[in-house]
Amino acid sequence: MDHALAVVGPTETAKTLTREAGELAAGVDAQLTLLHVTDEDEYDEQREQLQQVTRGDSTYSVGQAVEGARAYASDIGREVLEGVGIEYEAVGSVGDRAEVVLREARERGCDHVFITGKQRSPTGKALFGDDTQRIILDAERPVTVVTE
């Protein structure tokens, strides 16, 4: 492994997986990218909440959401990778989670992806779709998944 991509999130499972990805990357002297994706629904909700609080006097741009997601990935990295001895790049994005993860892994030349997923039955995946399943099926590299 030369470059790993860890998709970060707020749950303890996601934090544990991020730490393990960092330890593995450090152990083989690989690069590590931490990615946080704000999906479009989250972005719309945050924008609407800000407009309600400020009575429309403030805006929340996509650029601000991307920077917020990057800062979040950086904060998670500081929290969970302390003492691991690895440098990482923190990246944020807004969009469809599966598409963003696949694009970032491809563009950065990552050869391993670490991601958490929700436990769903095969019927639930068929009916509602599943980002993690899409990533596993469409990634042209190994994907480590831990379900929450």
Side-chain angles (χ1 to χ4, degrees), residues 48-106:
E48 287 173 18
Q49 287 176 352
L50 180 64
Q51 287 177 344
Q52 287 175 359
V53 169
T54 63
R55 296 188 178 137
D57 291 339
S58 187
T59 61
Y60 185 55
S61 70
V62 171
Q64 289 170 308
V66 167
E67 176 53 30
R70 188 210 59 76
Y72 181 82
S74 182
D75 290 346
I76 293 290
R78 271 193 302 280
E79 177 185 340
V80 302
L81 295 174
E82 184 178 343
V84 173
I86 187 164
E87 292 184 22
Y88 55 87
E89 180 181 7
V91 177
S93 188
V94 173
D96 178 272
R97 183 175 184 240
E99 289 176 17
V100 170
V101 169
L102 291 167
R103 182 189 70 232
E104 289 293 334
R106 185 176 49 255

